[in-house]
Amino acid sequence: MAAKGKVYLYNSLTRKKELLKPSKKDRVSFYSCGPTVYWYQHIGNMRAYTVWDVVKRVLAYNGYDVNHVMNYTDVGHLTSDADEGEDKIEKAAKKEGKTAKEIAQFYIDDFEEQSKLLNIIPPNHKPRATQYIRQMIEFIKELERKGYTYKTKDGVYFDTSKIKDYGILIGGITAETIEAGKRVEVGEKKHPTDFALWKFSDKPGLRQQEWESPFGVGWPGWHIECSVMGSALLGKVIDIHSGGQDHRQIHHPNEMAQNEGYFGKDIVKIWLHNGFLTTPEGDKISKSKGGLATIKDLKRAGHEPLAVRYLYLSTHYRKPLIFSKDTLEAAENVYYSIIEKVREIKEKSGEFEVRDGKIKPYMDTFRKAINDDINIPQALAILHGVISDKKLNEAEKYQLIIDFDRVLGLGLDEVEKIIIPESIKKLADEREAARRKKNWKKADELRNKIKREGYIIEDTEEGYRIIK
Ligand code: AMP
Ligand code: ZN
């Protein structure tokens, strides 16, 4: 079997780039904290999933077999990341007049459609929290047996003072962790950082989602599901665990604490955190900060989802990335120019032979970039270099482009699907001419003809645009 590539990843825990050494040699276990399915996943969330998709692709490119688990949180995530507020799913169900199950399914479907538009490879396992209630209860019972828990009148809590290095992921217990804990209005908690493993139903029968347990009727806290589903599906070693920056403060320290309580140590080897998609002012894009746009919204507005992917890829995954009309349009321009050039290269590629000596140096530098903590901005620079290198022929260029796209996932192997064909552009021009002459009948006929070909014409102030 071919030697696997040496992949270095920045471990948030040790704050160093570390060589990935999978516990099962060729098979990497990878867990990602997935969507809370009470609302649409917005473009900020989708950056996170795109980052992890690229991590997976880099591992596959290096010959690893990746076993990827990403959960759906369909119960227990309260309106604050700590233990305060209402259950997000219950709240949405009430508001939309649907069952909790319907809510979860609706937003899962929407998320999966968005993921597909972004060329994100689906995880191997997509467990839902509500499918693991029994295992969560068992896990909590074990934590209880080992003395890590205590009861208050509203739930079973994890006693974080029992964990020597609690909060080490952000450098120990800091003002930040304390601040995060303080938000909780549970007077009976022993320490501000303690968190709920199981919450009791105030009045059983009122909630849609509640279960019998030895502790009382209730529902699981948010953090427990990840420790339980991760270990149930991946075993006692998780090579990589990913989440957004926000999870470094509460969710992941709590997962680590649960793992330590149950297994005697944390089972995650590399903790990986992506930077936020932000507004131009530097604020995290979130539901409350107008982060309501989804990939489907952008598509409806005529943007190409893969150009959004290009935007995500253009900044290193750990750094913040600004999303604005300007950054999107800039990414879109570059993306379409790549597509156009790749189309030309592909057209001529049949006329040449590939000389291995010419492509090897490019493949080496590409691999070096991606294996150095997923340096995709550099990988994109190498792609641009290949496209414009006069010393390469079209066959060599095309081979390199297709090879790189295994990691980039920008649809470069099917550019025809992304480009608007000339024939459609011509019909659109004819329709525009008919409109100017106020020949509405002809304009409508042409619009329908274009529609039958799979394209939609939208009239804007600056003129028309064609959407696939
Ligand atoms: P949630 O559905 O709120 O649990 O978030 C799903 C994932 O998206 C988590 O891993 C978050 O850390 C991540 N996330 C949330 N907002 C952003 C953002 N603006 N940029 C990047 N990732 C984000
Ligand atoms: Zn999680």
Side-chain angles (χ1 to χ4, degrees):
M1 197 177 283
K4 305 296 173 227
K6 286 189 171 178
V7 179
Y8 289 83
L9 293 171
Y10 182 88
N11 188 349
S12 303
L13 181 63
T14 56
R15 292 170 175 68
K16 278 200 296 259
K17 283 184 199 170
E18 289 178 14
L19 176 63
L20 172 75
K21 292 186 207 135
S23 56
K24 288 199 188 120
K25 212 161 166 263
D26 301 335
R27 196 164 163 78
V28 179
S29 53
F30 184 14
Y31 186 93
S32 303
C33 293
T36 304
V37 287
Y38 72 109
W39 184 248
Y40 298 101
Q41 290 289 298
H42 54 65
I43 47 175
N45 302 129
M46 296 314 290
R47 177 189 187 195
Y49 308 118
T50 306
V51 165
W52 311 337
D53 177 62
V54 173
V55 172
K56 260 164 69 173
R57 286 168 176 267
V58 167
L59 296 173
Y61 189 87
N62 279 279
Y64 291 109
D65 183 10
V66 185
N67 192 11
H68 185 219
V69 175
M70 189 167 75
N71 65 306
Y72 287 126
T73 299
D74 58 352
V75 68
H77 197 163
L78 303 190
T79 40
S80 100
D81 268 2
D83 303 307
E84 197 183 25
E86 263 184 275
D87 185 319
K88 292 182 177 185
I89 306 273
E90 294 272 333
K91 190 175 166 192
K94 245 183 257 163
K95 195 169 138 211
E96 298 190 29
K98 291 185 184 158
T99 65
K101 227 187 174 124
E102 283 166 346
I103 290 288
Q105 193 59 52
F106 179 84
Y107 292 111
I108 287 173
D109 290 345
D110 184 88
F111 165 69
E112 292 186 355
E113 283 162 25
Q114 292 195 63
S115 301
K116 199 162 171 211
L117 290 172
L118 285 171
N119 245 351
I120 291 175
I121 298 167
N124 303 72
H125 304 275
K126 303 182 285 185
R128 299 183 190 191
T130 51
Q131 295 166 334
Y132 280 79
I133 300 294
R134 192 178 48 79
Q135 291 90 327
M136 289 192 232
I137 292 172
E138 289 306 317
F139 201 104
I140 299 168
K141 266 165 65 185
E142 179 69 3
L143 290 176
E144 197 171 42
R145 205 179 58 78
K146 290 185 166 163
Y148 286 97
T149 68
Y150 61 90
K151 263 190 186 183
T152 70
K153 65 173 180 307
D154 86 329
V156 179
Y157 280 78
F158 191 102
D159 183 347
T160 52
S161 72
K162 296 270 160 73
I163 302 290
K164 194 166 109 280
D165 288 330
Y166 178 78
I168 191 168
L169 204 51
I170 49 164
I173 296 189
T174 62
E176 272 176 315
T177 20
I178 298 285
E179 210 35 57
K182 264 194 200 153
R183 284 194 270 143
V184 189
E185 292 293 340
V186 184
E188 281 183 76
K189 270 196 346 181
K190 290 188 187 165
H191 316 95
T193 48
D194 293 352
F195 57 92
L197 294 163
W198 189 262
K199 298 273 272 185
F200 303 139
S201 297
D202 272 348
K203 295 189 187 91
L206 288 184
R207 278 177 61 94
Q208 286 193 30
Q209 305 200 105
E210 60 185 8
W211 294 265
E212 297 278 352
S213 84
F215 333 109
V217 176
W219 74 98
W222 171 39
H223 316 289
I224 190 70
E225 67 179 74
C226 288
S227 288
V228 169
M229 297 192 282
S231 55
L233 290 161
L234 295 172
K236 284 185 196 153
V237 182
I238 295 178
D239 295 311
I240 307 171
H241 189 314
S242 71
Q245 273 302 333
D246 46 343
H247 289 347
R248 279 186 73 175
Q249 282 178 37
I250 306 178
H251 183 51
H252 289 167
N254 292 353
E255 266 189 60
M256 287 175 83
Q258 292 165 164
N259 293 346
E260 193 172 326
Y262 189 92
F263 296 104
K265 60 177 186 350
D266 184 24
I267 58 172
V268 174
K269 296 199 1 203
I270 293 181
W271 285 95
L272 191 141
H273 293 98
N274 62 275
F276 288 137
L277 189 70
T278 73
T279 64
E281 293 74 39
D283 295 322
K284 171 189 171 194
I285 297 245
S286 65
K287 202 177 158 213
S288 56
K289 291 242 162 61
L292 293 174
T294 70
I295 298 298
K296 280 160 79 180
D297 292 335
L298 293 181
K299 185 169 188 277
R300 273 190 288 270
H303 299 287
E304 167 56 51
L306 293 178
V308 184
R309 182 173 171 108
Y310 185 87
L311 173 64
Y312 291 151
L313 264 47
S314 65
T315 293
H316 189 264
Y317 79 87
R318 283 195 278 124
K319 297 209 177 104
L321 166 64
I322 294 177
F323 184 89
S324 68
K325 193 167 169 282
D326 289 349
T327 61
L328 177 60
E329 277 175 14
E332 218 152 28
N333 287 339
V334 180
Y335 180 70
Y336 277 120
S337 86
I338 294 176
I339 292 293
E340 191 51 44
K341 283 177 192 147
V342 173
R343 194 186 57 79
E344 285 167 18
I345 290 168
K346 183 178 181 182
E347 234 168 57
K348 295 194 193 128
S349 61
E351 300 164 22
F352 301 92
E353 294 280 320
V354 172
R355 296 160 296 176
D356 287 342
K358 289 279 174 188
I359 61 170
K360 174 97 177 32
Y362 271 114
M363 294 190 73
D364 291 346
T365 48
F366 181 80
R367 186 183 291 263
K368 201 163 159 231
I370 59 172
N371 287 6
D372 178 15
D373 193 29
I374 323 289
N375 194 339
I376 301 299
Q378 195 174 340
L380 289 175
I382 296 165
L383 172 74
H384 287 288
V386 164
I387 289 174
S388 59
D389 187 344
K390 296 207 166 60
K391 293 194 283 306
L392 292 175
N393 68 39
E394 267 69 13
E396 288 152 358
K397 288 185 182 188
Y398 194 59
Q399 185 163 326
L400 285 166
I401 290 165
I402 296 305
D403 184 66
F404 295 174
D405 204 47
R406 283 162 54 206
V407 169
L408 304 173
L410 291 169
L412 304 183
D413 54 345
E414 25 182 38
V415 282
E416 299 79 8
K417 281 197 188 165
I418 294 155
I419 285 176
I420 310 284
E422 284 305 319
S423 57
I424 300 291
K425 286 189 200 156
K426 214 169 137 249
L427 289 175
D429 283 341
E430 282 174 30
R431 172 183 166 269
E432 187 60 20
R435 263 164 57 87
R436 272 204 218 107
K437 287 187 201 140
K438 302 206 186 318
N439 186 346
W440 309 119
K441 188 161 169 276
K442 188 169 177 203
D444 278 350
E445 272 168 21
L446 284 162
R447 177 198 280 271
N448 289 337
K449 194 164 172 197
I450 292 166
K451 201 169 169 193
R452 283 196 297 276
E453 302 281 329
Y455 299 85
I456 290 171
I457 299 260
E458 202 178 77
D459 296 305
T460 70
E461 274 172 24
E462 295 95 46
Y464 69 85
R465 81 203 306 176
I466 311 169
I467 304 169
K468 211 165 70 147

